[in-house]
Amino acid sequence: MKKPNIYGGGAQTNKNGLAFEQTTSLDSALEAAGYSVMDNQVYRNGQYIGISASKHAFYQKFLTPHGIDYQTINSKKWLPDEAFINEEKKTVYIIEKKFQNVSGSVDEKLPNCHFKKLEYEKLCTPIGYSVAFFYVLSDWFRAPIYRDTLDYIEMMGCTYFYNEIPLYALGLV
């Protein structure tokens, strides 16, 4: 289990969303919402619906089996905090979690969403998958000083949520 940052945010799990704490994995959030996850494969009522893979598992469980060698496409191996591959929608959902309670370097990382989305699209588009890029943010980012950054994230075709991701955002409803 990851060691939590003492400044984290969070929310109660509910039937309409996947709650994320700093130490919560996508697998744990999916299981809390009634899905089963076995060896990165996600099931709803016993039916296979996709893949949950973070960091290196995104390559091992999804890209490599689809014949993608990232080194021939990207100059760097991007490691998503979490990724959900919805096989029904043929969409890869990249999830980056940002939790903080003081100003710092995360402020400057948020506007990189469009670049990272483009890098993931270069990997996924050739095999027929679209890409959605999400941030799960702590309540710290509700402060007015982030208005321009949050507007930019949306303008670049990315999305953000506070403390949880609604199930509909992953194509799960």
Side-chain angles (χ1 to χ4, degrees):
M1 185 165 171
K2 295 181 194 174
K3 182 179 177 185
N5 175 324
I6 61 171
Y7 301 113
Q12 296 296 318
T13 300
N14 65 58
K15 65 180 183 173
N16 297 318
L18 301 177
F20 283 83
E21 297 286 345
Q22 294 168 63
T23 58
T24 301
S25 69
L26 177 59
D27 291 356
S28 298
L30 285 165
E31 288 169 348
Y35 294 83
S36 9
V37 182
M38 293 177 276
D39 191 32
N40 297 92
Q41 295 186 4
V42 180
Y43 298 86
R44 176 180 47 222
N45 301 323
Q47 180 180 348
Y48 172 73
I49 60 168
I51 299 169
S52 172
S54 61
K55 308 286 182 196
H56 296 284
F58 176 67
Y59 295 84
Q60 297 161 347
K61 300 292 182 173
F62 176 64
L63 291 175
T64 301
H66 278 88
I68 297 295
D69 176 3
Y70 81 90
Q71 294 173 320
T72 65
I73 299 170
N74 288 345
S75 60
K76 177 181 169 141
K77 186 177 192 180
W78 299 99
L79 301 175
D81 288 340
E82 305 281 355
F84 176 66
I85 296 90
N86 186 322
E87 293 291 356
E88 296 171 335
K89 306 283 185 190
K90 293 294 184 210
T91 302
V92 174
Y93 298 91
I94 301 296
I95 303 164
E96 294 291 336
K97 300 184 277 186
K98 303 297 181 198
F99 296 93
Q100 99 180 38
N101 198 26
V102 294
S103 293
S105 64
V106 173
D107 293 19
E108 298 168 2
K109 293 176 183 174
L110 292 176
N112 292 333
C113 62
H114 185 243
F115 173 75
K116 283 184 149 183
K117 182 180 179 198
L118 291 173
E119 293 296 284
Y120 287 112
E121 286 174 340
K122 290 191 309 188
L123 295 168
C124 298
T125 302
I127 55 175
Y129 288 78
S130 61
V131 173
F133 188 98
F134 298 147
Y135 283 122
V136 177
L137 304 173
S138 61
D139 289 326
W140 171 259
F141 296 101
R142 293 183 189 268
I145 62 169
Y146 293 104
R147 185 187 72 236
D148 294 335
T149 301
L150 297 175
D151 287 348
Y152 179 79
I153 289 169
E154 289 181 332
M155 187 172 40
M156 292 294 102
C158 301
T159 307
Y160 63 91
F161 299 98
Y162 295 104
N163 307 310
E164 72 175 26
I165 294 178
L167 292 173
Y168 74 81
L170 298 174
L172 294 176
V173 177

